[in-house]
Structure formats: C-alpha cells, structure tokens
Amino acid sequence: MGVLTGIARHGRPKAPMETVERAIVTQQHGIAGDYRGAIRGGPYRRQVTLIEREGWDAAMSQVVRALPWEARRSNLLVEEIDLPKLRGSRLRIGSEVILEVTCETDPCERMEALARGLRAALTPDWRGGVCAFVVRGGTIAVGDTVTFKDPE
C-alpha cells in the first residue's frame, strides 16, 4: 500500500503547475482544473499522470539537482508503492477513485531544459511515471492510500 503525497495541475499548456491538497477527479475531465484531463473525442491515454517519489529522488540524485516533483509536470506523486508497469493495471486512490494505466510517461525535452541529463535520468525503469485514464471518479486528497485494484 502506498500514499498519495502530492497533487498538481495546470490550467493551460505550458502554464506553471499548481499544487493542491485535494481535487475532484472525473471521467470527463480528469483532475479538475487540469487542461490535459479533458477527453477530446475517443479514449484518452494521458488523462492523469503519476510519478513515484523514489524514482524522482533517484533522478534528482543522478543529475545532482533538487527540483520540486511538480517540475516533472505529473499530476500525482505517490510514495511507498511501485507503480505498475503493465497496461490495464488499476490503482485505487482513497476510497473512490480508480485509474487504469495506459502507458509509460515518456520524458520530453522540457526535462532537459530543467536540468542537463534529467531526460535520461527519468528513462530507466519507468522513472518518468505512468499515464492513466479515469475508470471511476471521486475526490482525492494528499494522504490518501494508493493500492492495486483487481480488474472488475
């Protein structure tokens, strides 16, 4: 079992990330207030993104920097759980929200602009995180448990 230790969103492309203590998550909009979460015709692979604290810290150590996790531009930060590296895996956050993993989050050139070598540091073992879509919405808050969910 893991813990949700961060929630972040950005209202428009390239906007600064805003961290919040709680958020509403829906199938139609992903994390409320995050522009990436809205479904734009058909299945959306990247509705919500998650990253592990341990992976981010390892990448920071590798590039000898101390950037905040939201610089990665992920929506959710989890600790004490290894995110599944298998498409179709499901996670429950808190008592309501269920997310389904769609793919690895590929680190982009923006990471290299933050710190030289960061893109490469986020590449091994899915350190860059996972993309997911919302199976069931609800409210999440920092401190919620994160568990694996059996398929229904």
Side-chain angles (χ1 to χ4, degrees):
M1 181 174 1
V3 178
L4 178 64
T5 57
I7 304 169
R9 60 190 182 191
H10 54 303
R12 63 187 194 293
K14 299 183 182 177
M17 295 298 284
E18 168 194 25
T19 58
V20 295
E21 291 296 310
R22 63 187 321 97
I24 296 170
V25 180
T26 67
Q27 289 180 312
Q28 296 77 25
H29 300 289
I31 295 178
D34 188 71
Y35 94 97
R36 276 201 184 274
I39 294 177
R40 297 169 183 91
Y44 187 44
R45 298 178 14 179
R46 194 184 166 117
Q47 200 173 24
V48 177
T49 54
L50 301 90
I51 190 169
E52 299 169 11
R53 164 62 75 190
E54 296 79 3
W56 179 251
D57 289 348
M60 289 295 94
S61 178
Q62 190 171 331
V63 297
V64 192
R65 293 291 301 270
L67 298 169
W69 75 272
E70 63 271 16
R72 174 65 183 105
R73 305 190 66 77
S74 291
N75 297 119
L76 305 177
L77 178 70
V78 299
E79 293 184 24
E80 302 171 14
I81 190 169
D82 292 330
L83 291 171
K85 296 168 181 67
L86 182 63
R87 181 182 175 167
S89 299
R90 290 187 173 188
L91 295 166
R92 178 188 301 274
I93 301 176
S95 61
E96 301 174 312
V97 173
I98 298 175
L99 304 177
E100 185 171 310
V101 173
T102 57
C103 62
E104 176 180 7
T105 307
D106 293 322
C108 68
E109 66 280 348
R110 293 189 74 177
M111 297 301 100
E112 204 60 23
L114 291 173
R116 186 177 184 156
L118 181 54
R119 187 176 187 178
L122 288 169
T123 302
D125 197 33
W126 292 38
R127 274 189 197 162
V130 300
C131 298
F133 70 86
V134 179
V135 174
R136 187 170 74 205
T139 301
I140 58 173
V142 170
D144 279 352
T145 59
V146 180
T147 56
F148 292 106
K149 168 87 172 89
D150 292 330
E152 295 176 351

